[in-house]
Amino acid sequence: MNLYYLQIINMIGINAIMAVSLNLIIGHTGQFSLGHAGFMAIGAYGSAAFTVYQKAFFLKLFSGLPPSLAESLLFLVALIFGGTLASLGGLLVGIPTLRLRGDYLAIATLGLGEIIRVLVLNLDFVGGARGFTDIPEYTNFFWIYLILTIVVVMMTRLVHSAKGKAFLAIREDEIAASSIGIDAFQYKIIAFVVGAFWAGIGGGLFAHLNTYLHTNSFSFLKSIEFIGMVVLGGMGSVTGSILAASLLTLLPEVLRVASEWRMIIYALLLIVFMILRPQGLLGKREFKWLLPKHPKGKNG
Amino acid sequence: MAELLRSEHCGIQFGGLRALHDISIRIAAGELLGMIGPNGAGKTTFFNLLTGVYRATSGVIFFDEHGLEKLKTFQISHLGMARTFQNIRLFADLTVVDNVLVAFHYQMKSSLGASVVRGEKWRAEEISWHDTARELLQFFGLWERRHELAKNLPYGDQRRLEIVRALATRPKLLLLDEPAAGMNPTEKNQLIGLIRMVHQKFQLAILLIEHDMSVVMSLCPRIIVLDYGEIIAEGTPQEIRNNPKVIEAYLGTAPVNYVTSN
């Protein structure tokens, strides 16, 4: 396949992972976080540093295995390492900020997301301001779409269960949710940690796709782009997030024919979308075939 | 009867405003207690105090022998206190059945992780909670509407669903905050029947706040009257009805009659 198209398809997958993971925080739990690019950065730099600095050790450790398999193992561990770092970041950011509500939370996460970026910018062993180069190219179509599948299955199963409905209840009405015994703070933290974990994995995939990282890729504008995907898809719709992630990744490419008018048309299209469908492309609906089957069947 | 709830000299102050002062009440297990008072008397504030939304600035509250002063709203719910809200607070964009299912939250044994893995145990528990939700919803005549979004229900059904959701947490004490608000006389009569039925079937204590005298008078053997944040009267409906302080609080003082008749 043409490499250009393959690159776009891969970016669609990574953006979909980012949007679906952010959807848990914003769409399902109703916590407006502007720090998702920060979590992505932690995952990207964490996993890239892992593969770059641990590669020799891994190849030696698994010298009995064929090198390609050993490298796949290395990549898997690096991704999980990056995701775990990001989820720790989510925990650290979440504990002080999730006591805030609405716009205050947005501002606090925006600030903390930028702090993460600036911190990474000043770490010399990951390239600092020069950028992190020579990251091995491990990411491919199969890794991305395997992980996207796992994320989608996990997220839909999570909220389509009696216990997981607690996320939605908090979004709908936090006071009422507390009154029926739901620890809203705990669930918000869980949403943050799980969302940040997958954002970190998404970052790891991104790092090993591009083989080069610079903190400019993780500014708050990136966070806003992910929020745009969640909102355009319909807050709380996993399928909507995927659809919107595909659309918003494709549009700038398709609009290349319009050359310098590209970003103006892109922005206008976004405005038109939101006027025509303020609830998002899918609202809160999902494609039924994507949802887990209910144990009670159709009459439950 | 065993004592379920006790508040001792409870008060709450918002800045210079004394919203509640020296409230001491007792509720026995299984009792149906009414609390009335004019608008702004502090009834809802008292509910918010009991459920941990506000903290008392003075006094203590014991529920089922647990002091409530340090507990958060969700922990108080775990002890067995449930409530409805004056302005209905359903999970508007969830379906009727989901509104009930989510209220089983504390009683569920499966973890969040189990709902991702979906093993046999999880499946069995999920099904059993669905059955419980069905029983509850059928009892209250809402099962036919289970797939509708809560926000699309008619007003009366929303009020009922809120009661069902509260009952799903298996409370020992149910706090009803002006359930008759905005209802016409027919709906009020149905509500009286409903509350009576809930009280008998679920074997719980109910504390009913009402602005509307008729509902409380016909339901509650004992009534507390609040005015300007203080208890001004307590007793049977008969005693309350004839209490001059209560009449004054609701109707105001009688104008002084200057025309003397000979």
Side-chain angles (χ1 to χ4, degrees), chain B residues 106-121:
Chain B
Y106 180 61
Q107 301 162 68
M108 283 179 211
K109 289 194 189 70
S110 305
S111 67
L112 259 187
S115 49
V116 176
V117 182
R118 311 218 150 184
E120 271 312 303
K121 248 189 183 164

Side-chain angles (χ1 to χ4, degrees), chain A residues 158-236:
Chain A
L158 205 55
V159 294
H160 288 275
S161 68
K163 195 119 196 179
K165 295 265 187 312
F167 290 112
L168 309 178
I170 292 165
R171 173 191 72 197
E172 295 293 315
D173 192 322
E174 198 175 325
I175 294 178
S178 310
S179 86
I180 54 167
I182 293 169
D183 183 351
F185 184 65
Q186 185 196 354
Y187 271 83
K188 288 195 250 176
I189 292 279
I190 292 173
F192 238 62
V193 168
V194 174
F197 178 80
W198 291 111
I201 301 268
L205 290 170
F206 177 76
H208 294 85
L209 182 71
N210 270 10
T211 69
Y212 171 75
L213 287 177
H214 195 280
T215 50
N216 283 353
S217 316
F218 305 104
S219 71
F220 77 94
L221 284 173
K222 198 81 184 175
S223 297
I224 290 175
E225 205 177 297
F226 297 139
I227 288 174
M229 291 169 189
V230 174
V231 174
L232 180 65
M235 305 253 261

Side-chain angles (χ1 to χ4, degrees), chain A:
Chain A
M1 205 193 310
N2 185 322
L3 274 179
Y4 169 65
Y5 292 119
L6 185 63
Q7 178 76 0
I8 294 174
I9 290 170
N10 284 339
M11 275 318 292
I12 286 177
I14 291 178
N15 284 337
I17 292 169
M18 297 304 299
V20 171
S21 61
L22 184 60
N23 186 50
L24 175 68
I25 300 174
I26 295 187
H28 289 139
T29 322
Q31 305 304 307
F32 209 84
S33 162
L34 274 168
H36 219 52
F39 300 138
M40 188 187 190
I42 298 180
Y45 277 90
S47 62
F50 193 92
T51 45
V52 168
Y53 292 108
Q54 300 299 325
K55 188 175 177 182
F57 170 76
F58 245 76
L59 292 182
K60 214 174 107 194
L61 188 68
F62 295 103
S63 52
L65 295 173
S68 65
L69 191 60
E71 284 188 69
S72 296
L73 261 174
L74 166 70
F75 185 39
L76 182 66
V77 176
L79 283 178
I80 294 171
F81 175 74
T84 310
L85 271 190
S87 63
L88 277 178
L91 189 68
L92 285 178
V93 171
I95 286 173
T97 57
L98 284 174
R99 298 180 193 280
L100 306 171
R101 276 172 207 212
D103 23 8
Y104 301 102
L105 175 68
I107 299 291
T109 48
L110 169 77
L112 285 163
E114 283 296 287
I115 288 175
I116 293 171
R117 194 176 68 83
V118 174
L119 279 180
V120 175
L121 187 64
N122 286 291
L123 289 180
D124 223 32
F125 73 98
V126 290
R130 280 167 287 125
F132 198 0
T133 49
D134 295 329
I135 303 165
E137 191 178 350
Y138 288 152
T139 304
N140 55 35
F141 180 86
F142 296 102
W143 277 105
I144 293 174
Y145 283 87
L146 176 72
I147 287 171
L148 178 61
T149 311
I150 295 172
V151 180
V152 169
V153 169
M154 181 181 168
M155 294 299 182
T156 47
R157 286 187 165 194
L158 205 55
V159 294
H160 288 275
S161 68
K163 195 119 196 179
K165 295 265 187 312
F167 290 112
L168 309 178
I170 292 165
R171 173 191 72 197
E172 295 293 315
D173 192 322
E174 198 175 325
I175 294 178
S178 310
S179 86
I180 54 167
I182 293 169
D183 183 351
F185 184 65
Q186 185 196 354
Y187 271 83
K188 288 195 250 176
I189 292 279
I190 292 173
F192 238 62
V193 168
V194 174
F197 178 80
W198 291 111
I201 301 268
L205 290 170
F206 177 76
H208 294 85
L209 182 71
N210 270 10
T211 69
Y212 171 75
L213 287 177
H214 195 280
T215 50
N216 283 353
S217 316
F218 305 104
S219 71
F220 77 94
L221 284 173
K222 198 81 184 175
S223 297
I224 290 175
E225 205 177 297
F226 297 139
I227 288 174
M229 291 169 189
V230 174
V231 174
L232 180 65
M235 305 253 261
S237 168
V238 172
T239 18
S241 293
I242 300 172
L243 200 66
S246 319
L247 197 68
L248 291 189
T249 317
L250 271 177
L251 255 186
E253 302 301 330
V254 173
L255 290 174
R256 275 185 199 281
V257 289
S259 58
E260 59 266 13
W261 291 91
R262 186 166 74 118
M263 288 327 279
I264 295 175
I265 296 174
Y266 177 80
L268 282 176
L269 278 175
L270 274 190
I271 295 169
V272 170
F273 275 134
M274 286 332 286
I275 290 173
L276 294 181
R277 283 199 68 82
Q279 71 277 49
L281 293 173
L282 290 185
K284 286 195 173 67
R285 278 164 300 172
E286 303 274 11
F287 292 133
K288 288 282 184 293
W289 56 266
L290 232 159
L291 297 186
K293 283 203 180 51
H294 196 272
K296 280 294 274 188
K298 284 202 174 67
N299 300 318

Side-chain angles (χ1 to χ4, degrees), chain B residues 64-84:
Chain B
D64 211 11
E65 282 157 27
H66 297 271
L68 299 187
E69 58 269 25
K70 288 207 176 69
L71 296 185
K72 298 203 172 80
T73 305
F74 73 91
Q75 292 165 321
I76 293 174
S77 154
H78 297 172
L79 293 178
M81 199 192 296
R83 72 175 290 185
T84 65

